[in-house]
């Protein structure tokens, strides 16, 4: 399971300085670092993501 901070449009929040997505494997870590992903003019929620399927990358022929 993964935890993600989402905005009101259900889009993952981005880190204020780095631009990385707010996806964490641990809820405790998410809560610890949440302030780095929030903009003052938006409301955020925490969503739980469950992996349903995993796909392999296809190898490219050269």
């Amino acid at each position: 399971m993964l935890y993600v901070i989402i905005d009101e449009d259900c889009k993952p929040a981005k880190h204020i300085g780095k631009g990385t997505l707010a996806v964490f494997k641990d809820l405790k870590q998410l809560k610890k670092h949440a302030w780095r992903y929030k903009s003052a003019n938006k409301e955020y929620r925490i969503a739980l993501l469950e992996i349903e399927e995993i796909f392999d990358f296809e190898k490219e022929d050269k």
Side-chain angles (χ1 to χ4, degrees), residues 17-60:
K18 298 178 183 177
T20 56
L21 297 179
V23 179
F24 297 85
K25 63 180 182 177
D26 182 287
L27 188 57
K28 184 178 176 182
Q29 286 293 90
L30 180 147
K31 290 179 179 180
K32 180 179 176 182
H33 297 284
W35 65 272
R36 297 177 181 175
Y37 294 88
K38 294 182 178 181
S39 295
N41 60 343
K42 291 188 176 185
E43 290 197 23
Y44 294 91
R45 301 178 88 181
I46 298 171
L48 176 64
L49 302 178
E50 292 189 48
I51 299 171
E52 291 184 21
E53 247 180 289
I54 297 175
F55 299 94
D56 290 325
F57 285 100
E58 293 183 20
K59 293 183 180 180
E60 294 181 17

Side-chain angles (χ1 to χ4, degrees), residues 2-15:
L2 297 172
Y3 299 92
V4 61
I5 299 172
I6 58 171
D7 65 17
E8 59 268 2
D9 297 324
C10 290
K11 294 180 182 176
K14 291 186 179 180
H15 191 280

